Amino acid sequence: MSNSRFTLGLEQLSKIDGEAGHNVIENLEDICPDLARFTIEYPFGDIYTRPGLDVKSREIATVAALTALGNCKPQLKVHLSAALNVGCSEEEVKEVLLQMSVYAGFPAALNAMFAFKEVLQERKPE
């Protein structure tokens, strides 16, 4: 079962986060390969593949949660990019971040919006 969770999770990670997700996993390999494996198996192998929500909705929820936490800029940037990868428009992402100003506060929403600005700049073709 673990092997199929890993395989399924790796497929989902590739589809959702692309290179950014693989970079996170690779950076864990030398310090804690178990955390890398858990990250692939549980969130991507078990949760993202559940039928209750589509991947776009899951990314919207993830962006909202990471924004509300307020101290997860690297992970937030990965998931802001992932939201775009799975079909969210720039406008939808901005609206999610704006919505978070109500529930997470202006500092969290501002920080998230600036992180999104960085993501958009990084995604622009050179």
Side-chain angles (χ1 to χ4, degrees), residues 4 36 59-60 69-70 102 108 110 118-119:
S4 65
E59 278 305 319
I60 288 171
L69 285 170
V102 177
L110 287 165
E118 289 177 23
V119 166

Side-chain angles (χ1 to χ4, degrees), residues 19-125:
E19 185 179 330
H22 285 280
N23 288 342
V24 170
I25 299 305
E26 288 172 15
N27 285 321
L28 287 170
E29 287 296 330
D30 64 343
I31 190 165
C32 190
D34 286 339
L35 185 55
R37 181 174 49 83
F38 298 153
T39 301
I40 292 168
E41 290 175 347
Y42 180 62
F44 292 96
D46 293 343
I47 302 300
Y48 272 90
T49 58
R50 292 177 57 82
L53 289 174
D54 62 19
V55 177
K56 181 178 173 182
S57 298
R58 291 185 189 282
E59 278 305 319
I60 288 171
T62 302
V63 165
L66 292 172
T67 297
L69 285 170
N71 59 352
C72 308
K73 185 178 178 183
Q75 293 82 13
L76 176 60
K77 287 180 67 177
V78 167
H79 285 282
L80 287 165
S81 187
L84 297 171
N85 291 346
V86 299
C88 289
S89 69
E90 288 183 28
E91 193 61 34
E92 288 172 318
V93 173
K94 289 176 192 176
E95 287 298 320
V96 169
L97 302 180
L98 187 58
Q99 179 77 15
M100 290 300 96
S101 70
V102 177
Y103 294 97
F106 275 85
L110 287 165
N111 290 340
M113 196 66 76
F114 289 132
F116 189 48
K117 185 176 181 178
E118 289 177 23
V119 166
L120 293 174
Q121 287 295 321
E122 291 165 4
R123 290 173 64 101
K124 278 189 178 177

